[in-house]
Amino acid sequence: MTPTVPNPAPKSTAATTADDEASARAVLNRLRRAQGQLAGVITMVEEGRDCRDVVTQLAAVSRALDRAGFKIIAGRMRECLTATEDGGTPAMNEAELEKLFLTLA
């Protein structure tokens, strides 16, 4: 006989809001970092820098943007599946969320 594990207690609204704010700050930090990297890539192109260096930095910008997108989706996944519109249907179903996620892949 296997023991049953109780469901964890739901987070309070204050804790959820704090988590949302922390997640938003993390996403904004990632986006600002990517913005700075992109500005650096633009400068490198303007200066005629070696294409290997430019491509390496451009790849870093791309990864930073991907990570920001994944962070947004991960942070909103539960909310998107459980939030309801006026008719009581989920704001986004699992297939729609998967499609959104795959746009970043």
Side-chain angles (χ1 to χ4, degrees), residues 4 12 14-15 24 33-34 39 41 45 50 62 66 72:
T4 59
S12 71
R33 189 175 309 123
V41 170
V45 170
D50 182 69
S62 179
D66 286 346
I72 289 168

Side-chain angles (χ1 to χ4, degrees), residues 44-76:
M44 292 172 77
V45 170
E46 290 172 342
E47 293 174 352
R49 298 273 299 272
D50 182 69
C51 72
R52 285 176 285 199
D53 295 338
V54 172
V55 170
T56 298
Q57 287 305 308
L58 195 55
V61 172
S62 179
R63 283 190 305 273
L65 291 173
D66 286 346
R67 288 183 180 143
F70 290 135
K71 181 82 171 159
I72 289 168
I73 290 174
R76 299 292 183 215

Side-chain angles (χ1 to χ4, degrees), residues 68-92:
F70 290 135
K71 181 82 171 159
I72 289 168
I73 290 174
R76 299 292 183 215
M77 192 174 295
R78 181 177 295 123
E79 179 184 323
C80 289
L81 289 172
T82 59
T84 58
E85 295 175 344
D86 294 339
T89 58
M92 185 176 290

